[in-house]
Amino acid sequence: METNLSEIKNQMNALLDEAYAKLERSFVTYSELTRVVILNTDADKEPFTAIPVVGTGVIGRYESAWNDMEGESPNIIVRETVYKKLCNVDKALKAKNPNWQLVVAYGYRTLNIQQAAFNRKYEELKPKYEDKTELREAAHRYYAVPEVAGHPTGGAVDVTVYDFAEGKYLDFGTEILDFSTRRIYYGAIAIERKYGREAKDSEAGKNREMLRGLMGAEDFAPYEGEWWHFSYGDKEWAYYRWRTLARKKKEQVQFDDIEYLYGQKNFADITYTEKYKSAAEEKVDAEFVKFAVQKSGRLTDETIKLLESSGIDVVADKGKFFGKCENYPLELLFVRDDDIPGLVASGAADIGVVGENVLIESRCDCLRLLDLGFAKCSLALAVPTNSGIRTAKDLEGKKVATSYRVTTEKFFKDMGVKDIKIVELSGSVEIAPIIGYADAVADLVSTGNSLRQNRLKPLHTIQIYQSVLIGNDKAVNGDKKLKIEKLIQRFASCIKAKKFKSLSFSFPTEDADKIRGLLAACGRVTLESQNPAAGETLVQFLVEKSKLWDVIDELKIFNVCGIAVFDVEGYIP
Ligand code: PRT
Ligand code: ZN
């Protein structure tokens, strides 16, 4: 079949439109903003201030192309706190590049102008929308409905960055205030990249991220619909704070918990509340549970799997040192497993996953929170197959190679074997006897293949290990207690679930007693429903994996057929 280029192009455009539509749906809506209420009506009488037009700090500059509003004052004015914050942003910019300058293209806008701009957009879009609410929301994406708008509070600004050395504005992917393209959406760059319409490492994405980062550090809330728009103290800010707090806290925050700075007509109307004032100082990293995970090794995949089966999406690249989770306040630190007990004990990480062998050997003071049951192995004492050594005692006065000095020494001490010389190797312990470095080894074994390959035979199992979740006492019993407890519960239910299978089948109700008896003896019924018309009973039944086939064999004796077997995702007793 011949490939039709224009068809491919159409399909691609449809996909692109869909991605943009999805992005638009994520923008804060007018109706969401109307739910923000003013709790504190005490005006703080904060004065406005005009941003200087020239100078080396932050400047306020209207360019004719940016200003399509009638009756605009030549000065850009904002609330005083906003100006101070902008100065800090400019300083941070200059720390990155002394030639950069923060330029404010828009600040305070009177309610009349806001209303006029909104009305114009509303009329312009009218033919496109049948539904009034949809029309209002669409117009709101361009010019906010005055009642919830940020610019009339003096708390919202439109900003960009000018580069003196280059004599031009930094590349943000579009001109500021250019409403002719959807590329102005903050998330547009990612979409364009995905569809190959934007270079992977284009400046625009980096610059948007940088600007958002610097503004965010000063507690400005971003607006997803315009890369340049930020606000502090308006309804959008309140909503953004609420939403990020709610997400972080993972609990239902009531809408009337939202407090904010908000003034419509003039500065005296702006209210200021205490509650979130200090939230700026609230350490964001204190909110996250820092979770140390082996960067790359036997524990890595299982740990990520455990997170994912606990409903936590890991958005991390294993090659990186840090990772985040979509839907749980977890920060992942990817490190060598040997370092995990130390990191947890010191508080650099709150929790971590590590083999018991490493934990014991480290002698670090960590809490054992949960046995995870994977990466099972044992520490075995082994000698060359051709050696005359039969027991641990025969090793008196001899050399034992190991990576686990603490455990091995304790073993010989407990066995009453004296005069053992421990030689430490951090890897390839198995070859020590072959090269004449030791008479025996104490090494980890799982399948035993490695011992066999190196012609070693096990004499003794010193200790059996599995992976464990460990924690730092201060975190586990302090301010992160709840989040860590919830995590442990989820992990525990997933681990438990792995031991079960679920069976579902129906049987003649007249056999119910016999079958219930059988089921009661070997598992747990989670659902039973009767179908009197058919004279049948349907059950769902949990059974331990190890008993699965025995149960099925017994059920067959009762002529039960049509048994469906399922994996269990979680089990909460
Ligand atoms: O780079 P990093 O320091 O993070 O990783 P690592 O090399 O120290 O650790 P890694 O990934 O090898 O193992 C992590 C943990 O998995 C260990 O601390 C143990 O708790 C556990 N584990 C489980 C094992 C094994 N099974 C195992 N078989 N660790 C190591 N081995 C070695 C064993 O020593 C032998 O040399 O694997 C080799 C093969 O074993 P056999 O018996 O299957 O042949
Ligand atoms: Zn704006």
Side-chain angles (χ1 to χ4, degrees):
M1 210 164 63
E2 210 174 278
T3 332
N4 187 335
L5 254 181
S6 78
E7 197 166 275
I8 291 176
K9 223 169 154 188
N10 284 344
Q11 276 172 4
M12 169 121 151
N13 282 338
L15 284 174
L16 210 71
D17 279 334
E18 211 175 286
Y20 271 109
K22 188 167 169 224
L23 188 61
E24 280 177 3
R25 284 194 294 277
S26 76
F27 297 170
V28 55
T29 62
Y30 161 66
S31 67
E32 278 164 331
L33 292 179
T34 57
R35 296 174 68 184
V36 179
V37 293
I38 303 174
L39 288 187
N40 185 349
T41 49
D42 284 342
D44 72 345
K45 315 253 190 266
E46 184 182 10
F48 275 22
T49 190
I51 300 174
V53 180
V54 288
T56 49
V58 42
I59 56 167
R61 185 189 288 174
Y62 278 140
E63 309 244 55
S64 52
W66 301 343
N67 187 359
D68 62 344
M69 308 268 182
E70 272 173 346
E72 206 69 270
S73 124
N75 283 322
I76 294 176
I77 46 183
V78 291
R79 283 190 293 110
E80 228 166 54
T81 44
V82 170
Y83 179 61
K84 280 188 193 134
K85 284 173 179 295
L86 290 173
C87 291
N88 291 339
V89 174
D90 183 68
K91 267 189 215 127
L93 260 180
K94 288 189 166 52
K96 285 186 184 288
N97 184 332
N99 293 314
W100 287 351
Q101 179 164 39
L102 189 69
V103 178
V104 182
Y106 228 103
Y108 175 66
R109 178 187 295 158
T110 67
L111 269 183
N112 284 342
I113 293 176
Q114 183 79 31
Q115 186 73 59
F118 174 79
N119 289 351
R120 242 186 302 139
K121 203 76 211 177
Y122 190 84
E123 291 304 318
E124 182 191 319
L125 294 176
K126 223 177 202 167
K128 285 199 197 164
Y129 293 89
E130 279 191 40
D131 185 306
K132 279 260 153 54
T133 318
E134 274 176 31
L135 169 61
R136 208 176 172 76
E137 290 288 6
H140 173 79
R141 281 203 288 276
Y142 294 89
Y143 289 106
V145 181
E147 165 202 353
V148 299
H151 285 293
T153 71
V157 285
D158 298 334
V159 294
T160 182
V161 178
Y162 190 75
D163 187 340
F164 275 126
E166 300 284 329
K168 61 180 189 202
Y169 291 94
L170 294 196
D171 178 9
F172 287 99
T174 73
E175 286 276 277
I176 188 171
L177 294 158
D178 176 7
F179 290 101
S180 68
T181 162
R182 299 182 292 193
R183 284 172 63 93
I184 63 173
Y185 301 161
Y186 182 84
I189 301 288
I191 292 179
E192 299 283 336
R193 271 183 196 153
K194 186 169 167 196
Y195 292 97
R197 298 171 24 147
E198 173 99 17
K200 268 230 147 33
D201 52 358
S202 72
E203 285 301 305
K206 281 187 239 162
N207 288 337
R208 286 183 183 192
E209 219 171 281
M210 172 191 71
L211 184 62
R212 183 178 272 207
L214 295 180
M215 294 295 282
E218 283 301 317
D219 208 15
F220 282 99
Y223 171 53
E224 299 299 333
E226 301 164 4
W227 58 259
W228 58 75
H229 181 103
F230 296 89
S231 66
Y232 177 73
D234 64 345
K235 287 202 172 183
E236 213 160 67
W237 176 85
Y239 187 83
Y240 176 79
R241 295 298 297 274
W242 166 78
R243 211 181 45 186
T244 30
L245 273 181
R247 267 194 199 155
K248 258 197 266 168
K249 287 189 173 157
K250 259 275 164 181
E251 54 195 37
Q252 210 49 49
V253 176
Q254 292 303 312
F255 261 94
D256 36 42
D257 278 345
I258 304 173
E259 302 175 25
Y260 64 107
L261 302 159
Y262 190 53
Q264 285 259 340
K265 299 175 196 81
N266 55 55
F267 309 122
D269 281 344
I270 295 164
T271 63
Y272 205 108
T273 62
E274 290 302 319
K275 194 168 173 195
Y276 289 141
K277 241 199 220 169
S278 60
E281 292 113 54
E282 190 182 85
K283 278 209 186 72
V284 172
D285 70 341
E287 289 278 343
F288 284 81
V289 174
K290 286 179 281 181
F291 187 179
V293 177
Q294 188 185 24
K295 192 167 178 351
S296 148
R298 285 168 214 269
L299 306 173
T300 315
D301 289 348
E302 290 287 343
T303 307
I304 303 289
K305 248 195 256 165
L306 185 60
L307 282 166
E308 289 182 342
S309 44
S310 302
I312 298 166
D313 300 330
V314 177
V315 276
D317 177 349
K318 268 188 276 170
K320 301 234 172 83
F321 295 109
F322 296 100
K324 281 254 153 34
C325 295
E326 273 296 346
N327 37 16
Y328 207 85
L330 262 188
E331 179 172 39
L332 305 180
L333 316 174
F334 293 107
V335 292
R336 294 247 349 235
D337 72 336
D338 313 65
D339 296 331
I340 292 176
L343 289 170
V344 170
S346 71
D350 300 315
I351 55 174
V353 169
V354 74
E356 278 172 304
N357 48 312
V358 173
L359 176 65
I360 294 168
E361 202 61 24
S362 74
R363 287 190 279 187
C364 282
D365 202 6
C366 300
L367 300 177
R368 278 184 66 136
L369 304 175
L370 187 68
D371 290 346
L372 302 175
F374 55 80
K376 284 184 176 155
C377 58
S378 58
L379 185 66
L381 179 66
V383 292
T385 34
N386 59 6
S387 95
I389 295 164
R390 297 269 173 272
T391 68
K393 272 228 174 337
D394 299 343
L395 281 165
E396 217 147 51
K398 298 216 151 48
K399 277 193 211 165
V400 179
T402 187
S403 312
Y404 298 92
R405 172 188 283 278
V406 174
T407 313
T408 307
E409 269 177 356
K410 182 170 181 301
F411 166 76
F412 284 111
K413 201 173 155 224
D414 291 349
M415 297 287 287
V417 185
K418 279 174 241 124
D419 198 20
I420 288 285
K421 189 149 188 275
I422 305 282
V423 289
E424 278 184 87
L425 282 175
S426 58
S428 307
V429 176
E430 302 96 325
I431 63 163
I434 302 170
I435 58 172
Y437 191 60
D439 305 288
V441 299
D443 195 18
L444 295 185
V445 174
S446 59
T447 61
N449 284 340
S450 183
L451 288 189
R452 279 189 290 277
Q453 274 162 15
N454 291 286
R455 273 173 266 133
L456 295 166
K457 60 176 178 196
L459 278 191
H460 230 289
T461 298
I462 299 177
Q463 212 160 359
I464 296 173
Y465 304 117
Q466 61 173 308
S467 51
V468 285
L469 181 72
I470 58 172
N472 166 289
D473 180 47
K474 223 174 125 206
V476 173
N477 293 307
D479 51 347
K480 298 183 187 175
K481 187 176 163 72
L482 261 172
K483 281 175 220 153
I484 295 174
E485 271 174 3
K486 263 196 203 166
L487 201 64
I488 296 173
Q489 276 168 19
R490 289 198 196 180
F491 284 180
S493 105
C494 292
I495 292 164
K496 188 143 197 189
K498 269 200 261 172
K499 294 189 186 143
F500 291 96
K501 287 277 183 186
S502 169
L503 301 183
S504 149
F505 55 88
S506 38
F507 55 84
T509 304
E510 56 189 41
D511 292 339
D513 285 346
K514 283 177 277 177
I515 290 187
R516 282 201 198 107
L518 164 66
L519 298 184
C522 49
R524 192 180 299 256
V525 172
T526 53
L527 184 105
E528 183 175 315
S529 83
Q530 309 283 344
N531 181 350
E536 281 193 337
T537 298
L538 173 82
V539 290
Q540 232 162 49
F541 178 71
L542 275 188
V543 59
E544 272 180 48
K545 268 184 195 165
S546 56
K547 293 188 190 158
L548 175 70
W549 291 103
D550 292 340
V551 172
I552 290 175
D553 287 343
E554 296 231 23
L555 286 171
K556 280 197 201 139
I557 297 174
F558 289 106
N559 291 322
V560 172
C561 46
I563 304 170
V565 183
F566 302 96
D567 284 336
V568 183
E569 282 274 325
Y571 179 64
I572 299 102

